[in-house]
Amino acid sequence: MNNSLQAVIFDLDGVITDTAEYHYLAWKALGEDIGIPFTREFNEELKGISRMDSLDKILALGGRVNDFSLEEKEQLAHKKNEHYKELIQKISPLDILPGIQELIVEIKEMKLKMGLASVSKNAFTVMDALRLTDQFDVIVDANTIANSKPDPEIFLTAARLLEVDPSHCIGIEDAAAGVDAIKSAGMFAVGVGSVQTLYKADVVYESTSDLSFKNMVELFEKNKK
Ligand code: BG6
Ligand code: MG
């Protein structure tokens, strides 16, 4: 029992649903507005980090860090968020990514605890729209924590609220910053996406439909030996 798996903690955007794409589209539009176009490759750096940290990275990319006051930056972040909120308006349970609902069922069948660790201030809105809020034992979002991923705080907070030691948890992430956060929290990291980006994870599946709970648990247990 000492080394056993007791909880699975999910990231939201890009793992449970494809809102990572909507964050990208909204930032891309804002970047173009202020003369800072960027690629999907650069967008990987924005995944998993807070709204303001994302804006700072975009401004740094364009060499415009000192061009805006704090108030103007807040207006830019607000504008991005208004666009993002428009894009997520039609989200429904049909937008849960393939394989996720099955994974949730398997986790519950094994009587494990389940948490969400998302640095998004929109996490509850999205979870409610997906009708998933009640299925999770704990939801930790941007409002509960002081430090965004890659800081481990959000995963550690979820584990503490679930009353589980981090070493008994699996964390699932689509962002490099998120994988860093899981590893720094002392958890087993499952990546969803490309190995090039998520190489620090303990195992990487190309997409959510490739997630195999059986395989994940086997690797988690092997890792403990
Ligand atoms: C993370 C996303 O989940 O939430 C980031 O991966 C996003 O791309 C961050 O910037 C903050 O989201 P929000 O909804 O608070 O702007
Ligand atoms: Mg994510």
Coordinates of all heavy atoms in Angstrom, one line a residue, residues 11-15 47-48 173-175, ligand 2:
D11 N -4.5 18.3 -15.5 CA -4.5 19.7 -16.0 C -5.8 19.8 -16.8 O -6.4 18.8 -17.2 CB -3.3 19.9 -16.9 CG -3.4 21.2 -17.7 OD1 -3.7 22.2 -17.1 OD2 -3.2 21.2 -18.9
L12 N -6.3 21.0 -17.1 CA -7.6 21.2 -17.8 C -7.3 21.5 -19.3 O -7.6 20.7 -20.2 CB -8.4 22.3 -17.2 CG -9.7 22.7 -17.9 CD1 -10.7 21.6 -18.1 CD2 -10.3 23.9 -17.2
D13 N -6.8 22.7 -19.6 CA -6.7 23.2 -20.9 C -5.7 22.3 -21.7 O -4.5 22.2 -21.4 CB -6.2 24.6 -20.9 CG -7.2 25.6 -20.3 OD1 -8.4 25.4 -20.5 OD2 -6.7 26.5 -19.6
G14 N -6.2 21.6 -22.7 CA -5.3 20.8 -23.6 C -5.3 19.4 -23.1 O -4.7 18.5 -23.8
V15 N -5.9 19.0 -22.0 CA -5.9 17.6 -21.5 C -7.3 17.1 -21.5 O -7.6 16.1 -22.1 CB -5.2 17.5 -20.1 CG1 -5.5 16.1 -19.5 CG2 -3.7 17.7 -20.2
K47 N 1.8 27.7 -22.9 CA 0.9 26.7 -22.3 C 1.2 26.5 -20.9 O 2.4 26.3 -20.5 CB 1.0 25.4 -23.1 CG 0.3 25.4 -24.4 CD 0.4 24.0 -25.1 CE -0.2 24.0 -26.5 NZ 0.0 22.8 -27.2
G48 N 0.2 26.5 -20.0 CA 0.3 26.1 -18.6 C 0.7 27.3 -17.7 O 0.8 27.2 -16.5
E173 N -0.5 16.3 -17.9 CA -0.3 17.6 -18.5 C 0.0 17.6 -20.0 O 0.6 16.6 -20.5 CB 1.0 18.2 -17.8 CG 0.8 19.0 -16.6 CD 0.1 20.4 -17.0 OE1 0.1 20.7 -18.2 OE2 -0.3 21.1 -16.1
D174 N -0.3 18.7 -20.6 CA 0.0 18.9 -22.1 C 1.1 19.9 -22.3 O 1.5 20.2 -23.4 CB -1.2 19.3 -22.9 CG -1.7 20.7 -22.6 OD1 -1.7 21.0 -21.4 OD2 -1.9 21.4 -23.5
A175 N 1.5 20.6 -21.1 CA 2.5 21.7 -21.3 C 3.8 21.4 -20.6 O 3.8 20.7 -19.5 CB 1.9 22.9 -20.6
Ligands
MG2 MG -2.7 22.5 -20.4

